Amino acid sequence: MDRKIRFGSYIREITIRQKLISYNDLVPEIRQDSDGNDIPYVPPKLKLRNIDIYRLVQPYVSTRLYDQIRAVLPLALYLVLFQLFILRQDLTDSWVITAGLVSVIIGLMLFMEGLKVGLMPFGETIGNSLPTKSPLSVVLTVTFLLGIGVTFAEPAIGALKTAGSIVDVTKAPYLYTLLNQWSDTLVLIVGMGVGLAAVLGTLRFIYGWSLKPFIYCTMIPTLGLTLYIMTDPELSKVLGLAWDCGAVTTGPVTVPLVLSLGIGIASSAGKGHSSLSGFGIVTLASLFPIIGVMMLAIFVSSTTSVDSIIASASQIDNAARVFPWYEQTPWQEMILGVRAIVPLVLFLIFVMYFILNEKIKNKVMTTYGISLCVIGMVVFNVGLSYGLAKLGGQSGGLVPAAFTNIALVENSPLYSLSLGISIAALFAWFLGLGATLAEPALNALGTTVENLTNGAFRKSMLMYAVSTGVAFGIAIGVLKIIFDIPIAYLLLPGYIFGLILTALSTEEFVNIAWDSAGVTTGPVTVPLVLAMGLGFGNAMGSVEGFGILSMASICPIIAVLSTGLWVQWKINRRHQADYEEENKVEATLV
């Protein structure tokens, strides 16, 4: 029977009441052979009962499994209950979706554990050793290549390729070809954007540069390219994809690996003095891919005509092609999972052995972690296709039945126009709020920020500011699809307002705010919201359903910057009040 005792009493008991036991009493008696030589002791093989194995494994697995269940299960239940009770529609392929969601949970658990045990030590070791053993040019080259590698390893990057099959080539030919014929090039361009961001972020770490000039210099060409693409009616349909790519890149692989590399370099050769100087690299990794995708779209439009894209797609559709086994599900997802992790691992091993001339420490744990990464990515990819993407697409495709007629839903619209649109917006709002609060990365960011600001910016304040911003962003993105608002009309004023707030804010709050946008887009949120938006747009007959993720990125930036200005105003007002009180006391004494 357990009984609580004071820790001091426990220490006293174990220090006073001791019994010395001879080591000879614990080891077996030495036996000798006929020649008088000692016979080596061979211990018997350890035997574990099933209950012993369970007791050893259960604490290790349950903690890691709970984190993923907390991120996935509430969102899945929310979508299912909304579909059953608000839209009054049964869940199609419920068992397939359930199995897919279980695969997502298990895959993420394995992947995140493998990332922490196997891949993260690579980044930390390389970050600490590379600046001391190699010139700056080699450091930046490795950083750039690592940025490309981690992009291919992002779990959510597969959601972009899945989205290609939903786009109608006749409505958005350039968007269709980017997501199909140019899909590998698209991911490469996004990876190069992340690599360039990692290079500049590393230089910023080393020399202690301010983040504000980087934001201004990046946003000016980004907004300029957006204005240019808006002038072409066909090309403008890729804007939602381009801005959404910035959200897809900042996931559970990119952020920790690139940050661990950059912070390791900064600790070895850095000159930053701010406690929050480690923030900011995620911001650049979100912005540079946007520029890259827009430039790729301009290149494709200048070299390929709309008619040729439509003709090529028609030939593929009309051809009775038999796909080989490796292009069929679930084998395709498995191959993509292996292809995402293994090249990245081989590159890290190459850097360790041939550039740093160092051996991998604790090879058994590293191999264990990498194996978990590969298995987890494979299982996650399968679950993404059968679970998250299917559930998000189904729910998103049925939500418009609340306010408009849809062939799949009898007696639609289910509600009046104004009430139905309000229900759709509230559905998106609560989805964004719940998905963001469930992100483990946001919880970790909130704790870090509260510690670094000595409690001035509380963890709860940051979490609710970011979550509310994402909620409004996703709701605005859904309204954008309903009313067919060009995404540039929302993004341009949003980012201009964000730049104004950036100019008014201090460096610390700027770093926090712009990085918070990347934290919100996790491996669960991105595929789910992307599939929901595409399904919503398809049901509405929209050209494309992209743009929701991009709105979910700018709104938390505005929310955190506004909250930061309010916190700064409170601090200044308190200091002013203390100063006036001191003057009154001095005047009284005089």
Side-chain angles (χ1 to χ4, degrees), residues 392-412:
Q394 187 177 144
S395 299
L398 293 174
V399 169
F403 57 88
T404 189
N405 183 37
I406 292 180
L408 296 175
V409 180
E410 295 183 4
N411 302 321
S412 58

Side-chain angles (χ1 to χ4, degrees), residues 5-225:
I5 63 172
R6 291 178 61 251
F7 183 71
S9 302
Y10 166 74
I11 295 296
R12 184 177 65 252
E13 292 293 326
I14 65 172
T15 53
I16 295 176
R17 300 186 181 183
Q18 294 181 352
K19 181 180 180 180
L20 297 178
I21 301 175
S22 173
Y23 179 73
N24 293 327
D25 296 335
L26 300 177
V27 298
E29 184 180 350
I30 298 175
R31 295 186 302 162
Q32 296 179 334
D33 57 17
S34 57
D35 297 330
N37 298 320
D38 294 342
I39 299 175
Y41 173 72
V42 180
K45 187 177 181 180
L46 185 64
K47 294 181 180 180
L48 293 176
R49 300 170 298 169
N50 291 334
I51 187 63
D52 297 326
I53 297 173
Y54 170 77
R55 287 170 178 169
L56 288 171
V57 174
Q58 188 268 337
Y60 177 77
V61 174
S62 60
T63 303
R64 291 151 181 81
L65 188 63
Y66 174 73
D67 289 339
Q68 308 311 325
I69 291 176
R70 189 178 63 179
V72 176
L73 192 59
L75 297 180
L77 287 176
Y78 170 70
L79 293 177
V80 170
L81 293 176
F82 185 89
Q83 186 170 321
L84 291 175
F85 294 103
I86 304 299
L87 302 179
R88 301 191 290 273
Q89 299 298 310
D90 294 331
L91 189 67
T92 307
D93 298 329
S94 57
W95 287 107
V96 176
I97 291 175
T98 302
L101 292 176
V102 171
S103 295
V104 166
I105 292 172
I106 295 175
L108 271 179
M109 179 191 71
L110 297 175
F111 178 80
M112 297 302 290
E113 180 65 12
L115 182 70
K116 182 173 65 175
V117 174
L119 287 182
M120 285 292 291
F122 269 120
E124 293 170 2
T125 303
I126 293 173
N128 289 322
S129 302
L130 197 61
T132 60
K133 294 187 176 182
S134 304
L136 184 60
S137 59
V138 175
V139 173
L140 298 181
T141 301
V142 170
T143 304
F144 178 74
L145 294 176
L146 181 65
I148 296 176
V150 295
T151 302
F152 279 91
E154 274 296 341
I157 206 72
L160 280 180
K161 297 185 177 182
T162 305
S165 59
I166 304 176
V167 178
D168 187 348
V169 65
T170 59
K171 292 182 178 179
Y174 290 127
L175 180 62
Y176 175 88
T177 193
L178 283 178
L179 289 171
N180 289 275
Q181 286 82 4
W182 291 79
S183 61
D184 290 334
T185 307
L186 175 70
V187 178
L188 177 62
I189 291 295
V190 171
M192 291 175 67
V194 174
L196 181 59
V199 168
L200 292 179
T202 301
L203 289 173
R204 196 177 76 84
F205 282 160
I206 292 175
Y207 297 109
W209 293 336
S210 169
L211 180 63
K212 285 187 179 184
F214 284 93
I215 293 176
Y216 300 144
C217 294
T218 306
M219 286 307 306
I220 290 173
T222 305
L223 298 178
L225 284 171

Side-chain angles (χ1 to χ4, degrees), residues 18 47 53 57 76 93-94 146 149 158 180 211 236 265 271 281 325 328 362 385 430 473 489 521 526 556:
Q18 294 181 352
K47 294 181 180 180
I53 297 173
V57 174
D93 298 329
S94 57
L146 181 65
N180 289 275
L211 180 63
S236 62
I265 293 172
K271 299 178 182 177
I281 195 168
W325 65 270
Q328 299 179 21
N362 204 341
S385 298
F430 283 108
Y489 290 178
T521 50
V526 169

Side-chain angles (χ1 to χ4, degrees), residues 32 42 46 78 80 111 169 184 214 259 286 312 323 343 409 415 424 429 471 473 487 504 531 543-544 551 582 584:
Q32 296 179 334
V42 180
L46 185 64
Y78 170 70
V80 170
F111 178 80
V169 65
D184 290 334
F214 284 93
L259 270 181
S286 300
S312 176
F323 290 94
V409 180
Y415 304 95
W429 195 91
I487 187 65
L504 297 175
V543 173
E544 44 87 18
M551 292 307 303
E582 290 177 1
K584 288 181 180 179

